[in-house]
Every structure is written in C-alpha cells, then in structure tokens.
Amino acid sequence: MMNTLTKVIATAALTLASIGVVNASNVVVPADNYVTSNLCAVATEGSKIKMSQAIKKSGLSKRYVATKVTCNDLQFMTFIEQYGSNANDMNDFLTGGKYSNTADMAAVTSHKSL
C-alpha cells in the first residue's frame, strides 16, 4: 500500500512539473552577435526597462529601431506582435503610442521626406 502511494505521489509530481515546462513561453535567442539581433530578442521579452537599456547600449534611437530595424525579415513591431509578449506596451514605448498597429507603422516607414 505504501509503495502504491509513493508511486501516485511521484507520478503527480512529475505531471505537475511537466505542465510548467509545456506552458513556458518561447525564448528568442539571437542567431548572431549583431546589435539588431539582440534588440529583436530583448523586445520579445516585453520589458520596457530591458528594451530601453538595450537601445541605449546599441546607440540607436527608439524611432530608428521601430521604423528601420527588421527581425527575421519582418518589421520590428510586426515581429514583436507575432513572437513577443506585451506587444501593445512595447509599441507604446517605442512609438509614444502614435501607432495603433503595424499597418500604421508601415505607412510611416514607407513615407519618404522630401
């Protein structure tokens, strides 16, 4: 009887532990050492503080990152929307809340000043 109880408890513990692994969020890891690859990876975490630190370290401006940087051939904000967490907060942080979606950003980035 004690042996059966031990097996049930061990099975329950393993099941609960594996649920945590399955529900763990995807982690984006930069494929190379480029500054922009690091920015893409940091942005998916959804932390404005980490993003701010990464942008300062890169020497780029928030506007440049939001409008010119691409990640896996996707516009920066599109990449965050697809693979990141807190996409709305990150959008507000990078654009000052000026754009409601990536279509708005695409319109701005395709506009050329005269």
Side-chain angles (χ1 to χ4, degrees):
M1 181 71 174
M2 188 64 142
N3 198 10
T4 304
L5 183 59
T6 303
K7 287 180 183 177
V8 169
I9 291 172
T11 303
L14 281 171
T15 302
L16 292 174
S18 65
I19 289 171
V21 170
V22 171
N23 287 330
S25 63
N26 293 332
V27 175
V28 176
V29 178
D32 52 42
N33 290 327
Y34 291 118
V35 169
T36 53
S37 297
N38 183 55
L39 290 171
C40 295
V42 170
T44 61
E45 295 177 26
S47 169
K48 292 187 276 186
I49 293 171
K50 287 183 181 180
M51 190 72 227
S52 178
Q53 291 170 342
I55 289 173
K56 283 181 185 176
K57 186 176 178 182
S58 75
L60 303 172
S61 70
K62 287 194 300 186
R63 179 171 173 80
Y64 183 87
V65 171
T67 59
K68 303 292 183 192
V69 173
T70 59
C71 307
N72 291 348
D73 296 324
L74 295 173
Q75 183 189 25
F76 196 76
M77 296 309 301
T78 302
F79 182 80
I80 295 170
E81 287 176 359
Q82 289 185 11
Y83 301 105
S85 58
N86 298 327
N88 289 334
D89 288 345
M90 196 59 59
N91 181 11
D92 290 345
F93 170 72
L94 290 170
T95 67
K98 294 179 185 176
Y99 310 104
S100 60
N101 59 33
T102 54
D104 291 344
M105 284 292 291
V108 169
T109 58
S110 65
H111 242 132
K112 300 202 188 252
S113 56
L114 300 174

